[in-house]
Amino acid sequence: MSNFWDFSVWGGLNLMALLLLSLLLANWLKKSIKFLRMSLIPTSVLGGVILLAIAGIYDIFSATPLFETAFFGGNGYDNLEIITYHTLALGFIASSLKSSKGKLTKQRSIEIFNTGVTTVSTYLIQGVLGMAITIVAAMVIKDFFPAAGILLPFGYGQGTGQAMNYGTIYETTNGFVGGKSFGLTIAALGFLSASIGGVIHLNILKKRGTIVLDGSEDGDNLKSDEIQSKNEIPMQGSMDKMTVQVGIVVLSYFITFLLMFLLGSLLPGMKAVIYGFNFLLGVLSATIVKAVIGLCRKTSIMKKDYVNDFLMTRISNFFFDIMVVAGIAAIRLGLLENYWGVISILGVVGLIISYVYNRIVVNTLFKDYKEEQFLMMYGMLTGTASTGTILLREIDPDFKTPAADNMVYQNFPAIVFGFPMMILATLAPKNPVLTLILLTAFFVVMNVILFRSKIFKKRK
């Protein structure tokens, strides 16, 4: 039995407290310093950078890394990675449990489909250029991991959690020393790219007189029907409504674990990949749970609606904030001392190609709201959906254009078309050149699908 005064009891809580305190500090700094407020850097990214800097300074004067001290239980880095891993899936699950409202017109369905294809095409071009860079780097740098470039689309396109997942697979299965930190660093550079590219573009629009930038973060006043719709369970009944939402999210994640356990038992050689897809199987589990709840409502087994979209959004945002700050804090800079040149090149290339490619797409396919669609897509494909929302709000604060809906509903086509790329990522360490060729071919096919209306024009 543990003594309650032992750090083994308090280490995990101390670590979580530090993550939350860093978020509060970052939020205060953003509101107090105009430069940070105008930079559009997400608060969670700033909080992670603060912890990374504090840990780096501490490590200079101490033989024991900050997060490996007894105060954090002696295994803080492992716990940071575990937190990042779980919050990725939990955030996706909470988002997936929200209801899908409204019928889609044919044109809106086409735009949503094109948004999903654009997402995957951007992943692919990031992967193609990333792989090309690191294959060349492996010819110059001794013992460099040639498949490291495939982490560019996972860090930029999919964010901290997936970058760490694949970095972990490459580190534990394929011998890529520092793979986790490499992936997490790429993800951190993605957030900076979103901020840098986004601010530059917003200032271009400002000079044209399209928008006025004030750096304000004031939120809109919410209406009661946006917080709770009719026929929902009460906010404070025999069980608090938030408890119900968390319970449904955790139930979905438990089903996810059972699926991963079953698949891992059937395919032991693929266990690392299967558990790395926790977020994808989490979306599947959440969809199943949502369908069962919907069936229970239709058959009157449930008299009330149990899922509240407003609270699910708050839950998903909480998990994503924790994921980002923990992921950046988990970076071990000492493991990357030989990789900074390659990482810098990947970061710059990721920024430029994501910016240029999405400009081409929106100018061709989203002419009615091209600026809104571009800011949403660029922010999402270098950071996360939250980053895309931050940039979009600067030009479309009330979400009057369909750009925000495109981001929400594009997930299904993006997952369907993106799944083959995830499989290719497992091939990359074994045959980097073949993977590069297949990614390039896949990119060509996706662009034929994306620009089909321009390529196969109907004859008059």
Side-chain angles (χ1 to χ4, degrees):
M1 180 178 178
S2 298
N3 294 315
F4 291 138
W5 54 85
D6 285 346
F7 281 127
S8 60
V9 175
W10 288 92
L13 182 62
N14 290 340
L15 185 63
M16 184 59 72
L18 186 65
L19 296 177
L20 293 169
L21 286 172
S22 71
L23 285 169
L24 293 175
L25 175 60
N27 187 59
W28 176 76
L29 290 173
K30 277 206 68 173
K31 291 183 178 297
S32 303
I33 301 174
K34 184 177 181 181
F35 166 75
L36 292 175
R37 194 165 62 245
M38 299 297 291
S39 70
L40 301 180
I41 296 175
T43 300
S44 54
V45 175
L46 183 58
V49 171
I50 290 171
L51 287 184
L52 188 62
I54 292 172
I57 294 170
Y58 180 91
D59 293 351
I60 293 174
F61 301 100
S62 174
T64 303
L66 175 63
F67 294 118
E68 298 298 308
T69 57
F71 186 77
F72 296 112
N75 58 346
Y77 278 111
D78 289 342
N79 287 334
L80 285 171
E81 292 164 5
I82 291 170
I83 290 170
T84 304
Y85 173 78
H86 287 311
T87 49
L88 168 69
L90 289 165
F92 269 101
I93 287 171
S95 296
S96 301
L97 285 166
K98 293 190 294 184
S99 61
S100 302
K101 298 178 180 177
K103 294 184 178 180
L104 299 176
T105 64
K106 180 179 179 181
Q107 179 60 30
R108 288 292 302 116
S109 298
I110 291 172
E111 290 171 348
I112 289 166
F113 178 81
N114 286 343
T115 301
V117 176
T118 303
T119 296
V120 177
S121 295
T122 307
Y123 294 165
L124 289 167
I125 196 169
Q126 289 170 342
V128 167
L129 294 177
M131 285 290 290
I133 290 167
T134 53
I135 287 173
V136 173
M139 299 176 184
V140 179
I141 303 173
K142 184 180 179 182
D143 296 328
F144 184 72
F145 189 67
I150 198 68
L151 291 173
L152 180 59
F154 292 115
Y156 271 53
Q158 296 193 9
T160 308
Q162 273 299 86
M164 191 200 73
N165 281 357
Y166 274 91
T168 301
I169 292 171
Y170 295 157
E171 184 170 323
T172 57
T173 306
N174 305 108
F176 180 18
V177 178
K180 285 180 284 191
S181 291
F182 193 100
L184 291 170
T185 303
I186 293 294
L189 289 178
F191 285 109
L192 295 178
S193 295
S195 302
I196 294 168
V199 168
I200 290 172
H201 190 77
L202 286 168
N203 277 287
I204 291 172
L205 296 181
K206 180 183 177 183
K207 288 182 179 180
R208 293 177 183 171
T210 307
I211 60 171
V212 177
L213 292 177
D214 62 3
S216 175
E217 288 190 326
D218 294 336
D220 299 327
N221 292 322
L222 292 169
K223 299 176 182 178
S224 59
D225 60 349
E226 294 177 305
I227 298 175
Q228 178 167 304
S229 60
K230 293 181 179 178
N231 207 39
E232 285 190 7
I233 59 174
M235 193 66 73
Q236 292 180 328
S238 57
M239 182 184 293
D240 191 272
K241 197 168 191 173
M242 176 62 86
T243 306
V244 174
Q245 310 308 301
V246 173
I248 295 172
V249 171
V250 173
L251 170 63
S252 301
Y253 199 32
F254 178 66
I255 295 172
T256 303
F257 169 74
L258 295 179
L259 287 173
M260 291 189 295
F261 181 79
L262 176 62
L263 291 172
S265 300
L266 295 174
L267 302 167
M270 294 286 289
K271 187 173 288 187
V273 176
I274 291 167
Y275 279 84
F277 284 165
N278 67 328
F279 81 102
L280 189 58
L281 291 170
V283 171
L284 175 62
S285 300
T287 304
I288 293 171
V289 170
K290 186 165 70 171
V292 171
I293 292 174
L295 181 63
C296 290
R297 284 285 292 120
K298 286 182 180 180
T299 56
S300 298
I301 295 174
M302 289 182 179
K303 304 297 184 183
K304 298 281 187 179
D305 291 325
Y306 278 74
V307 176
N308 178 273
D309 288 355
F310 174 79
L311 291 178
M312 282 298 180
T313 300
R314 306 281 74 76
I315 292 169
S316 65
N317 288 347
F318 169 77
F319 283 131
F320 286 141
D321 280 340
I322 295 296
M323 178 193 74
V324 172
V325 69
I328 295 176
I331 296 172
R332 302 194 189 194
L333 297 175
L335 299 177
L336 302 173
E337 56 185 355
N338 297 323
Y339 302 153
W340 285 114
V342 178
I343 288 173
S344 300
I345 294 171
L346 287 172
V348 172
V349 169
L351 186 158
I352 294 173
I353 197 58
S354 302
Y355 187 97
V356 172
Y357 180 73
N358 279 278
R359 285 306 299 172
I360 293 172
V361 172
V362 299
N363 287 335
T364 306
L365 300 176
F366 298 90
K367 294 181 179 180
D368 293 339
Y369 52 99
K370 62 182 180 181
E371 298 300 348
E372 292 84 356
Q373 179 76 5
F374 170 75
L375 285 169
M376 180 275 294
M377 291 297 292
Y378 175 76
M380 181 179 69
L381 291 169
T382 50
T384 62
S386 298
T387 318
T389 303
I390 290 170
L391 293 178
L392 177 61
R393 276 187 178 276
E394 293 294 327
I395 191 172
D396 184 16
D398 298 321
F399 298 141
K400 293 179 179 179
T401 66
D405 285 341
N406 289 349
M407 178 174 64
V408 174
Y409 295 116
Q410 61 88 35
N411 282 310
F412 180 73
I415 288 173
V416 171
F417 286 115
F419 187 73
M421 180 182 165
M422 296 179 184
I423 299 299
L424 285 176
T426 62
L427 172 67
K430 300 172 185 176
N431 198 326
V433 176
L434 176 60
T435 303
L436 176 59
I437 294 171
L438 292 174
L439 287 173
T440 304
F442 193 13
F443 175 70
V444 172
V445 171
M446 292 304 295
N447 277 273
V448 171
I449 296 173
L450 181 60
F451 296 107
R452 62 197 179 280
S453 61
K454 303 298 179 184
I455 298 171
F456 307 107
K457 289 183 178 179
K458 292 182 180 179
R459 294 182 180 181
K460 293 183 180 180

